[in-house]
Amino acid sequence: MRSLTILSPCGILGYGFPDASFAYGLSQKPDAIVVDAGSTDAGPHKLGAKTAIVSRRAAKKDLLRIIRGGCELGIPVLIGSAGGSGGESHVRWTMDIIDEILGEHPDWQPKTAVIWADIPNEAILAQLEESKVVPLDALELPLDEEILSQTTGVVAQMGIEPILDVLQAGADLIVCGRAYDPAPFAAVGVHHGFDLALSYHLGKVLECGALCCNPGTTKDCMLGVLYEDSFEVYPCDEKRLCTPTSVAAHTFYEKDHPYLLHGPGIAMDLSLCTFEALSRNRVRVKGSHLSATDPYQIKLEGARKVAYRTFVVAGVRDPLLVSRIEEVEALVRESVQEQYPEIERDAYSINFINYGKDGVMGSLEPESCVGHELGVVFEVLAPTQELANALCASVRSTFMHYGYEGRKATAGNLAFPFAPSDIPFGAVYAFSVYHLMDVESPTALFPWQWWEHGGSNDKTV
């Protein structure tokens, strides 16, 4: 029976993976190495600030091994959502590392292509005028020309179509801007003539590395094998178990529906899927279905600067203060506001998070147990870093010596694990674009180019 094997080294490029697992994965003679490099799980900051999710050192460590593996086996290497957010700055950051690696290993000569995912404001505005841009989920974000002008850049999640063009052109190393996480995996399957639904479903399982195992982790390697009527997945470390439940659970994670999954131009229906254990750590999946959506829609992502942050981490141990923490925090906030009457109160915000008392779930917390101590984080958001610093210092000093009923000691209410206690964070970003946009062509907004290592690489197609 015809088959295709894909090696997924880890959940996000730069997270790392064991050498032994990767060596085993290569020993299985995969037809491609595919790794996702991005996510919006951590919020809009990396996109807005144009910084990477992982360190340069971590990214280079993973890239070195992955590129070596691809060159040694003569198989393509695909990277999705380069640099974390997949914008031009993130892609160029990744390519700078790759250029450095190939400069150190001149015997490696992969034919390299880059697919850009930056969407021009003019293209978005044109679709807005025709009511072909809609906000995604419950955010209901407004969008107009002014908001776009404040946004540091907009990317869109590409589907398989731009990646297929580059595979068909014969690229050995493909670096994608922002991509729908399963798309680079699925593109490999479709390029080799395998079923679209099975290819996308396999990509959904492989995108996070060995997270679909017990114990699960994004820091280990996973293998997937496509067949005409099914696919199989298994880990590269025999200590990890791959079960029908673990694979099914990962299939549906981070989704708002138990078995309907949407992507660029597609809607997957996994309600008829079966998950069969072939061994203690190998699972076969059948029954994946997919249909094309009309119109074809891509997800837009963009962020803009909204404030500057300064925060403090402290501990509270006095049982009297622990029992009245929210009351005292409200009084501290009011006191600081009174100290700065010249500043409009809606120009800044003072927020408290009490770890040990609903710090994680807030008002949704079903348990009412409070520990003997609290970890208190308070932050100030303000229009400038200087103002955030000043207000946060006042919150800290007011909180530190605030006199509450029953208080006996005067040495201070807070214990600080760090000195200095006040930590200027810098710019704070919020999603300004989180929308679906109709497109006529799945490739027109995702141009690609051959990359000249050590040469000039203007963003031209």
Side-chain angles (χ1 to χ4, degrees), residues 43-53 83 85 87 89-90 150-153 302-306 425-431:
H45 181 269
K46 301 299 184 182
L47 176 59
K50 299 185 177 182
T51 57
I53 288 179
S85 298
S89 60
H90 306 93
Q150 298 167 355
T151 300
T152 62
R304 60 177 171 174
K305 188 187 301 180
V306 294
F425 175 85
V428 176
Y429 292 86
F431 281 117

Side-chain angles (χ1 to χ4, degrees), residues 212-230:
C212 64
C213 298
N214 289 320
T217 179
T218 55
K219 298 175 179 288
D220 208 345
C221 307
M222 197 76 185
L223 284 158
V225 184
L226 271 168
Y227 299 99
E228 298 289 348
D229 63 346
S230 62

Side-chain angles (χ1 to χ4, degrees), residues 408-423:
K408 297 180 177 64
T410 58
N413 301 323
L414 304 174
F416 302 106
F418 310 119
S421 59
D422 302 14
I423 305 171

Side-chain angles (χ1 to χ4, degrees), residues 44 127 268 285 379:
Q127 294 299 81
M268 295 188 68
V285 181
E379 67 163 359

Side-chain angles (χ1 to χ4, degrees), residues 339-392:
Q339 292 173 47
Y340 293 92
E342 72 278 13
I343 304 174
E344 293 290 335
R345 291 192 177 187
D346 60 2
Y348 64 94
S349 62
I350 300 170
N351 306 305
F352 297 94
I353 306 173
N354 302 309
Y355 288 101
K357 190 178 189 299
D358 306 342
V360 175
M361 295 184 64
S363 61
L364 297 176
E365 177 57 58
E367 303 290 339
S368 58
C369 178
V370 179
H372 67 281
E373 63 182 7
L374 297 176
V376 177
V377 177
F378 50 89
E379 67 163 359
V380 172
L381 302 175
T384 67
Q385 190 67 65
E386 183 278 330
L387 183 56
N389 294 347
L391 290 168
C392 191

Side-chain angles (χ1 to χ4, degrees), residues 269-390:
D269 183 348
L270 306 181
S271 59
L272 300 179
C273 281
T274 61
F275 300 83
E276 176 189 0
L278 300 180
S279 67
R280 62 185 292 272
N281 67 352
R282 189 169 181 134
V283 173
R284 176 185 293 153
V285 181
K286 288 185 174 182
S288 308
H289 292 279
L290 179 150
S291 59
T293 60
D294 185 19
Y296 190 110
Q297 292 182 311
I298 55 175
K299 179 190 174 192
L300 305 176
E301 299 167 352
R304 60 177 171 174
K305 188 187 301 180
V306 294
Y308 288 84
R309 172 186 287 125
T310 304
F311 68 94
V312 172
V313 178
V316 173
R317 178 62 177 78
D318 184 339
L320 294 176
L321 181 52
V322 168
S323 67
R324 305 178 60 185
I325 190 68
E326 291 166 335
E327 174 190 346
V328 172
E329 287 168 347
L331 293 170
V332 168
R333 181 187 291 110
E334 183 179 350
S335 176
V336 172
Q337 290 171 339
E338 291 174 352
Q339 292 173 47
Y340 293 92
E342 72 278 13
I343 304 174
E344 293 290 335
R345 291 192 177 187
D346 60 2
Y348 64 94
S349 62
I350 300 170
N351 306 305
F352 297 94
I353 306 173
N354 302 309
Y355 288 101
K357 190 178 189 299
D358 306 342
V360 175
M361 295 184 64
S363 61
L364 297 176
E365 177 57 58
E367 303 290 339
S368 58
C369 178
V370 179
H372 67 281
E373 63 182 7
L374 297 176
V376 177
V377 177
F378 50 89
E379 67 163 359
V380 172
L381 302 175
T384 67
Q385 190 67 65
E386 183 278 330
L387 183 56
N389 294 347

Side-chain angles (χ1 to χ4, degrees), residues 30-194:
D31 297 284
I33 301 171
V34 186
V35 63
D36 181 27
S39 175
T40 57
D41 288 358
H45 181 269
K46 301 299 184 182
L47 176 59
K50 299 185 177 182
T51 57
I53 288 179
V54 300
S55 70
R56 193 182 194 280
R57 176 185 290 268
K60 183 177 180 181
K61 182 178 176 68
D62 284 4
L63 280 166
L64 176 63
R65 293 182 288 170
I66 291 170
I67 294 172
R68 177 189 288 122
C71 290
E72 288 178 351
L73 293 182
I75 59 175
V77 172
L78 289 80
I79 300 167
S81 298
S85 298
E88 180 178 356
S89 60
H90 306 93
V91 172
R92 291 192 180 278
W93 178 84
T94 303
M95 295 312 302
D96 181 66
I97 300 172
I98 291 174
D99 285 343
E100 183 176 292
I101 290 172
L102 296 180
E104 296 166 351
H105 299 272
D107 53 320
W108 300 348
Q109 297 291 327
K111 192 176 181 182
T112 305
V114 169
I115 309 175
W116 305 100
D118 309 275
I119 309 301
N121 286 358
E122 306 79 55
I124 301 171
L125 290 171
Q127 294 299 81
L128 267 173
E129 291 179 359
E130 297 186 23
S131 300
K132 293 182 178 180
V133 180
V134 295
L136 191 64
D137 58 42
L139 291 179
E140 291 294 332
L141 291 175
L143 187 60
D144 55 27
E145 186 171 5
E146 181 180 1
I147 292 172
L148 280 173
S149 70
Q150 298 167 355
T151 300
T152 62
V154 179
V155 297
Q157 293 186 4
M158 70 180 75
I160 65 169
E161 293 85 357
I163 307 171
L164 282 174
D165 285 349
V166 179
L167 283 169
Q168 290 161 5
D172 303 311
L173 175 58
I174 302 174
V175 179
C176 305
R178 186 68 169 116
Y180 178 50
D181 293 352
F185 300 87
V188 174
V190 174
H191 174 65
H192 287 274
F194 287 87

